DNA sequence: AATACGGGGAC
DNA sequence: GTCCCAGTATT
């Protein structure tokens, strides 16, 4: 693949001199990779130096106290990395005689080592053609191939990993992996990359389509939206009520609920009464309304908080769609409704 | 499939 | 403020 060669060539001419690039010792590579997870080189570099000074080998690290490791990690964040680092060092010393696993598959078993880190160590130290996919690789590939699959979706992770794996130079996986990452960090950077000096400018899809700034696509974590649900618990003198089936998409499809009035904001009894008098089910009907729950029930779904009020509405009669309250348990209902039914003394 | 997990750098 | 950074573990 010509792209792979171009990247490796660019790397040989442009790579920064970094201490972990002077060695293939798995301990050093492992340490550097853990430190650099979600961490910029500038921030991680001093920690790499101090860790190697304090713990020159995996045996030194394994013999330390966890608090000593955490102290040295102080300020770097994501402290589970430090705890896993220490635990893994002990594991390697005590169970593996101080010898690092040498394949992607085995490395993946280590605490704190995921797909990325296992690939990095396997390729750099053991020449295994396991493609790394980090934030840089997502950016380079999405732009070069013009792929807009969200990089934080399951689909995207699969797709980009496969693409990187197809692209990797099996003759030189170590340099290819580091090349594409370094290229992403230095040349194909997030903001305002200088594409006029890019060695891939002639074949970059995003550049042709002027979509460099649109890629990669990352779906925003949906903010939790707040909704106000008002359920109308209608009760007739002959002990009937009304349940409605939820149609269409969205939550609770095909489940049953009391007639619902969704409002933009929380409503008062006075406020809801006004709406009720014109409601389809209550037109020209005498009714008496009261609020069941004084405290708003906040039902939490993944991306919605449902601020819920149950309004008890007594009427003389209900039409033919009403069901006997005694049958209410035969209908599938959301937990929110089910909890109310169980708690309410019909 | 979401979410928690840190802190700093770049704009 | 917003986005991003050589991601992983847990729910």
């Amino acid at each position: 693949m010509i792209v792979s060669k171009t990247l490796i060539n660019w790397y040989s001419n442009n790579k920064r001199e970094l201490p972990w690039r002077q060695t293939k010792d798995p301990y050093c590579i492992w340490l550097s990779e853990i430190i650099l997870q979600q961490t910029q080189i500038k921030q991680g570099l001093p920690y790499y130096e101090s860790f190697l000074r304090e713990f020159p080998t995996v045996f030194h690290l394994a013999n330390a106290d966890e608090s000593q490791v955490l102290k040295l990690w102080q300020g770097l964040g994501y402290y589970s990395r430090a705890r896993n680092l220490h635990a893994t060092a002990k594991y390697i010393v005590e169970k593996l005689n101080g010898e690092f696993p040498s394949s992607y598959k085995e490395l993946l078993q280590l605490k704190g080592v995921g797909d990325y880190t296992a690939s990095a160590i396997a390729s750099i130290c053991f020449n295994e053609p396991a493609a790394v996919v980090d934030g840089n690789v997502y950016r380079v590939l999405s732009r070069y191939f013009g792929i807009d699959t969200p990089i934080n979706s399951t689909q995207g992770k699969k797709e980009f990993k496969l693409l990187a794996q197809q692209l990797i130079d099996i003759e030189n996986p170590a340099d290819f992996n580091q090349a594409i990452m370094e290229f992403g960090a230095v040349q194909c950077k997030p903001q305002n990359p200088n594409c006029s000096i890019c060695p891939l400018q002639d074949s970059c899809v995003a550049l042709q389509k002027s979509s460099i700034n649109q890629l990669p696509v990352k779906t925003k974590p949906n903010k939790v939206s707040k909704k106000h649900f008002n359920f109308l618990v209608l009760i007739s003198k002959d002990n009937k009520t009304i349940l409605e089936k939820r149609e269409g998409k969205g939550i609770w499809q095909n489940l049953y609920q009391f007639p619902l009035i969704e409002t933009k904001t929380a409503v008062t009894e006075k406020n809801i009464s006004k709406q009720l008098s014109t409601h389809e089910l209550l037109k020209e009907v005498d009714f008496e309304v009261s609020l069941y729950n004084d405290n708003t029930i906040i039902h939490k779904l993944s991306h919605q908080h449902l601020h819920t009020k149950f309004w008890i509405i007594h009427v003389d009669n209900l039409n033919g769609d009403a069901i006997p309250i005694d049958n209410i348990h035969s209908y599938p209902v959301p937990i929110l409704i089910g909890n109310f039914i169980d708690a309410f003394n019909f």
Side-chain angles (χ1 to χ4, degrees):
Chain A
M1 200 73 173
I2 181 88
V3 186
S4 313
K5 298 294 185 194
T6 304
L7 286 171
I8 291 174
N9 187 51
W10 177 93
Y11 181 61
S12 68
N13 294 327
N14 296 278
K15 68 177 171 187
R16 295 167 283 183
E17 287 303 324
L18 296 166
W20 48 85
R21 288 186 177 153
Q22 314 290 328
T23 178
K24 296 220 165 193
D25 177 359
Y27 172 66
C28 298
I29 300 301
W30 167 63
L31 177 62
S32 73
E33 293 300 346
I34 301 298
I35 286 174
L36 292 173
Q37 286 169 7
Q38 293 293 284
T39 303
Q40 297 190 191
I41 287 174
K42 188 173 180 183
Q43 187 188 6
L45 187 52
Y47 287 84
Y48 176 80
E49 307 275 23
S50 61
F51 262 81
L52 271 192
R53 190 160 51 242
E54 191 74 18
F55 311 118
T57 71
V58 70
F59 297 97
H60 293 85
L61 181 55
N63 287 334
D65 290 334
E66 187 186 87
S67 61
Q68 193 189 350
V69 178
L70 284 169
K71 181 66 185 173
L72 209 52
W73 198 272
Q74 187 176 288
L76 197 52
Y78 284 161
Y79 296 93
S80 68
R81 289 185 292 172
R83 295 190 296 272
N84 286 333
L85 187 79
H86 183 229
T88 293
K90 293 184 79 145
Y91 172 76
I92 288 174
V93 166
E94 289 165 16
K95 306 286 184 188
L96 304 181
N97 251 334
E99 295 224 10
F100 264 79
S102 59
S103 70
Y104 165 82
K105 194 177 169 185
E106 293 171 298
L107 288 161
L108 201 50
Q109 306 305 314
L110 303 175
K111 279 188 184 177
V113 175
D115 186 280
Y116 164 78
T117 305
S119 300
I121 300 172
S123 62
I124 294 171
C125 303
F126 306 108
N127 235 33
E128 183 176 337
V132 294
V133 182
D134 71 339
N136 294 306
V137 177
Y138 282 125
R139 187 166 52 254
V140 173
L141 296 182
S142 66
R143 285 175 174 170
Y144 184 75
F145 292 103
I147 299 170
D148 60 3
T149 311
I151 62 173
N152 54 344
S153 66
T154 303
Q155 174 66 24
K157 285 172 191 165
K158 218 171 111 186
E159 197 174 333
F160 284 103
K161 174 77 181 180
L162 182 64
L163 186 53
Q165 194 60 49
Q166 289 171 339
L167 222 53
I168 195 170
D169 184 347
I170 57 173
E171 299 299 313
N172 198 348
D175 281 344
F176 173 82
N177 274 344
Q178 293 181 88
I180 192 169
M181 289 191 285
E182 186 79 340
F183 184 78
V186 175
Q187 169 61 41
C188 196
K189 57 185 186 172
Q191 305 294 333
N192 305 111
N194 185 358
C195 298
S196 69
I197 62 165
C198 179
L200 296 177
Q201 56 181 280
D202 292 336
S203 44
C204 177
V205 173
L207 184 57
Q208 312 326 343
K209 296 164 93 171
S210 301
S211 56
I212 290 286
N213 292 324
Q214 275 45 264
L215 295 172
V217 172
K218 193 183 219 171
T219 59
K220 296 202 172 183
N222 300 346
K223 277 183 198 163
V224 178
S225 62
K226 188 195 282 189
K227 292 187 171 180
H228 296 273
F229 278 11
N230 296 277
F231 288 113
L232 312 183
V233 184
L234 298 160
I235 302 173
S236 67
K237 285 192 167 167
D238 57 350
N239 278 316
K240 288 186 172 179
T241 189
I242 292 186
L243 289 183
E244 295 176 341
K245 189 175 182 178
R246 286 187 68 97
E247 309 279 1
K249 296 189 183 263
I251 60 171
W252 303 336
Q253 186 177 9
N254 295 346
L255 273 63
Y256 290 79
Q257 67 183 15
F258 296 104
L260 170 64
I261 295 177
E262 187 176 346
T263 53
K264 301 271 188 193
T265 59
V267 290
T268 61
E269 181 170 328
K270 204 176 207 176
N271 207 316
I272 198 77
S273 295
K274 207 169 181 179
Q275 296 193 45
L276 291 175
S277 56
T278 60
H279 193 277
E280 185 67 28
L281 293 165
L282 294 168
K283 269 189 293 192
E284 299 169 16
V285 173
D286 286 332
F287 62 86
E288 192 177 316
V289 61
S290 62
L291 179 59
Y292 165 70
N293 52 315
D294 289 330
N295 297 322
T296 300
I297 298 167
I298 303 178
H299 187 70
K300 295 181 177 178
L301 302 174
S302 54
H303 291 84
Q304 298 175 26
H305 286 187
L306 308 178
H307 292 240
T308 306
K309 291 180 176 176
F310 289 93
W311 298 95
I312 311 302
I313 304 166
H314 286 281
V315 297
D316 285 348
N317 293 299
L318 286 168
N319 66 28
D321 292 338
I323 63 159
I325 288 175
D326 286 346
N327 291 353
I328 203 166
H329 289 99
S330 65
Y331 291 83
V333 297
I335 290 296
L336 175 60
I337 302 295
N339 287 343
F340 166 80
I341 292 173
D342 290 344
F344 185 70
N345 196 7
F346 275 108

